[in-house]
Amino acid sequence: MLKTQRKRYFMNRVHQMLNEMAEKTVGSRVNRDIKGMKFPDHVDWATAEQEREIVLRIIERDAALRGKVMLALEKVRDATYGVCESCAQEIESERLEAMPVTSLCVECKRREEAKERLKQTANLRA
């Protein structure tokens, strides 16, 4: 269980992440529909379409991260922040510092990634 001072510190870090994401979202308003726009040639249209797709992927990634941030804040309030969801051991402070929204300790994350690699390998062979 995290001590009160560390808990406050990580709660502030997670709130900071949320604020930074909100600022970034406001700053990156994008026209998602380029069909009505006119382009001099197909290359310009393709470039605009590619840029639009990249922005949409960033927005999707940020939405997923926003969900993790909200979950981390909920865990801070529930006093379960910093506890591994898999083994129920305390997550190392260094890991929380590097990734404040993590829900797994290093060892459990390694196991999860190894399982994913095996799954991907099996899918490639099928």
Side-chain angles (χ1 to χ4, degrees):
M1 201 65 67
L2 290 174
K3 293 182 177 158
T4 305
Q5 185 177 8
R6 291 297 285 168
K7 180 179 170 181
R8 223 176 292 128
Y9 169 77
F10 283 114
M11 186 169 190
N12 288 337
R13 285 278 320 266
V14 173
H15 271 292
Q16 181 182 8
M17 286 179 74
L18 193 60
N19 291 337
E20 288 170 1
M21 290 173 65
E23 288 174 13
K24 189 166 106 177
T25 301
V26 169
S28 67
R29 298 276 184 227
V30 111
N31 183 358
R32 297 177 190 169
D33 184 17
I34 65 170
K35 290 179 185 173
M37 298 174 73
K38 298 196 187 244
F39 297 97
D41 59 34
H42 293 295
V43 173
D44 289 339
W45 178 83
T47 301
E49 179 65 20
Q50 185 177 29
E51 288 172 0
R52 184 184 74 87
E53 288 295 323
I54 290 169
V55 169
L56 289 175
R57 274 188 256 140
I58 290 169
I59 290 169
E60 288 172 1
R61 187 195 70 213
D62 285 352
L65 181 57
R66 184 173 283 109
K68 289 181 179 182
V69 169
M70 298 306 289
L71 183 61
L73 288 173
E74 195 175 302
K75 287 181 175 192
V76 169
R77 285 189 279 277
D78 295 350
T80 58
Y81 181 79
V83 177
C84 178
E85 289 180 355
S86 182
C87 69
Q89 296 296 311
E90 188 171 322
I91 299 172
E92 302 83 0
S93 286
E94 294 82 12
R95 178 156 173 76
L96 291 172
E97 189 71 45
M99 180 57 82
V101 297
T102 192
S103 61
L104 298 172
C105 67
V106 172
E107 191 56 40
C108 290
K109 184 63 177 174
R110 281 188 187 133
R111 278 189 234 126
E112 181 184 83
E113 288 174 349
K115 286 179 188 176
E116 277 298 312
R117 281 192 299 275
L118 287 174
K119 194 178 192 180
Q120 288 175 354
T121 303
N123 287 340
L124 289 174
R125 291 181 185 166

